[in-house]
Amino acid sequence: MSGPVSGAGNRTNVSQRTTGAPVQNHQGHAHSHGGGTPGTAQPAPGQRQQPFGDGYERPRPTFLTTGASRPPPAANLRKGMPDDATIAQTFGQPLIPSHKFLTELGATPAQREVLSTLAKDPRYQALSSYFDKFPGGNPIRYSSVPGLQIRGVERFGGYFPGMGTLAINPAKAEHVQNPQELADTIIHEMAHAAFDVRKRAEANGIKTPPWPLPEGATDLPHDDHFGNEARSTRMDNPAMAPHRDYMDRHYGPGASNPKEEWIDINHGTQQFIVNIIKDNIRQTGHGAPTITFDNLQ
């Protein structure tokens, strides 16, 4: 999902690995934060950040027109976003370099082996390289946020487009009990980041590295089914009444709050994750099928 800060994918999902504020059109979305809870990173003063799944707002980066002073493409995509020090302060955790992200998330021997194997998977490598090989530098930031909460619900993780930041909660019980859930959440939130970066790069005329996700894969904020209509992961949101059948058939329930929220990545993206997790289980012998598998049965 894209929370404290904004939600979790449901993994909130804000993995919802998600939370459920309305996601409006792709041009940007208004949302607000509720009061903080222990373990929840809080937005910097004057900032409103929501992860995918709860609604989000994102700045509209624009090119500078002067040749010599024109920043690299990655800088354009981060125009209007908080600087790295502010992001770290918001989450209460230091940012992690992309090449150390998997290493620092693995706390148990099983998690470390699962994430080491994930790092060697060519599908994951393509996804990670989409950011690492971006013209002008990686446009997203990475953080480990134990106890990440959004709206009083502990979340698996989240991608926060207003900050261009991916946050994972490695201490979530499911991540400890089943290390494949941790791998699932990482891929889930990186997929959100990829959809977001591609959309903003297109708006700026920036040529991106090869697209790493399969045809038909999308997430709720970028699903063309909704056109310019508002969309939300919340099942009780009136705006979603005409789309309930579509969400049930193409998304399914979220991981963190399945009785009240839909997951915020569609079956195409879910299948991409499941295929990687299946191979990881076979190679490592660790863990079991994740919650994402349930939506594809």
Side-chain angles (χ1 to χ4, degrees):
M1 164 172 239
S2 339
V5 198
S6 45
N10 235 314
R11 272 165 176 285
T12 122
N13 289 12
V14 70
S15 210
Q16 229 176 48
R17 266 164 203 215
T18 292
T19 62
V23 178
Q24 298 174 11
N25 65 47
H26 297 172
Q27 301 304 319
H29 318 12
H31 50 274
S32 61
H33 294 289
T37 56
T40 300
Q42 294 302 305
Q47 303 232 349
R48 297 182 302 157
Q49 307 295 343
Q50 289 282 353
F52 285 143
D54 285 65
Y56 63 101
E57 61 186 334
R58 121 176 105 225
R60 293 182 171 201
T62 55
F63 285 128
L64 297 182
T65 56
T66 56
S69 61
R70 180 171 175 172
N76 277 304
L77 290 197
R78 296 199 64 81
K79 183 178 176 64
M81 294 183 182
D83 60 24
D84 289 0
T86 300
I87 295 172
Q89 182 179 19
T90 298
F91 284 103
Q93 299 289 337
L95 297 181
I96 303 171
S98 63
H99 68 280
K100 293 184 177 180
F101 191 49
L102 295 186
T103 302
E104 297 207 11
L105 285 174
T108 69
Q111 285 179 335
R112 288 192 287 270
E113 184 171 353
V114 164
L115 296 187
S116 176
T117 300
L118 177 64
K120 300 171 187 174
D121 188 291
R123 293 158 295 190
Y124 174 82
Q125 290 177 341
L127 182 57
S128 181
S129 293
Y130 184 74
F131 308 111
D132 287 331
K133 295 183 179 180
F134 196 87
N138 193 319
I140 67 170
R141 300 295 182 262
Y142 305 80
S143 183
S144 173
V145 187
L148 175 69
Q149 291 187 16
I150 295 110
R151 297 180 179 172
V153 177
E154 184 180 8
R155 305 294 180 166
F156 288 70
Y159 172 70
F160 303 85
M163 294 186 288
T165 300
L166 189 156
I168 303 296
N169 175 7
K172 189 88 165 72
E174 291 87 342
H175 286 163
V176 177
Q177 295 162 3
N178 180 7
Q180 297 296 341
E181 289 287 0
L182 180 56
D184 185 317
T185 297
I186 293 167
I187 304 166
H188 178 125
E189 303 307 343
M190 289 183 73
H192 279 310
F195 293 124
D196 178 52
V197 166
R198 180 175 67 171
K199 185 72 173 181
R200 291 187 289 118
E202 289 175 350
N204 279 279
I206 299 172
K207 184 177 180 180
T208 63
W211 182 241
L213 293 167
E215 184 177 357
T218 189
D219 65 356
L220 187 58
H222 301 92
D223 190 335
D224 292 337
H225 166 81
F226 295 91
N228 291 324
E229 295 181 40
R231 71 285 307 268
S232 172
T233 56
R234 292 288 309 182
M235 295 177 181
D236 60 0
N237 188 309
M240 296 302 289
H243 306 289
R244 290 190 63 88
D245 181 63
Y246 178 83
M247 293 298 294
D248 288 341
R249 287 187 294 109
H250 296 283
Y251 285 77
S256 297
N257 193 9
K259 293 184 179 180
E260 298 180 355
E261 298 169 351
W262 286 293
I263 195 170
D264 51 2
I265 55 172
N266 77 341
H267 283 171
T269 308
Q270 293 172 40
Q271 188 65 62
F272 175 77
I273 294 172
V274 163
N275 290 344
I276 295 176
I277 298 302
K278 282 181 178 178
D279 288 344
N280 197 299
I281 293 173
R282 178 178 54 80
Q283 293 171 38
T284 66
H286 290 305
T290 63
I291 298 171
T292 302
F293 283 61
D294 297 340
N295 285 338
L296 297 177
Q297 294 178 355

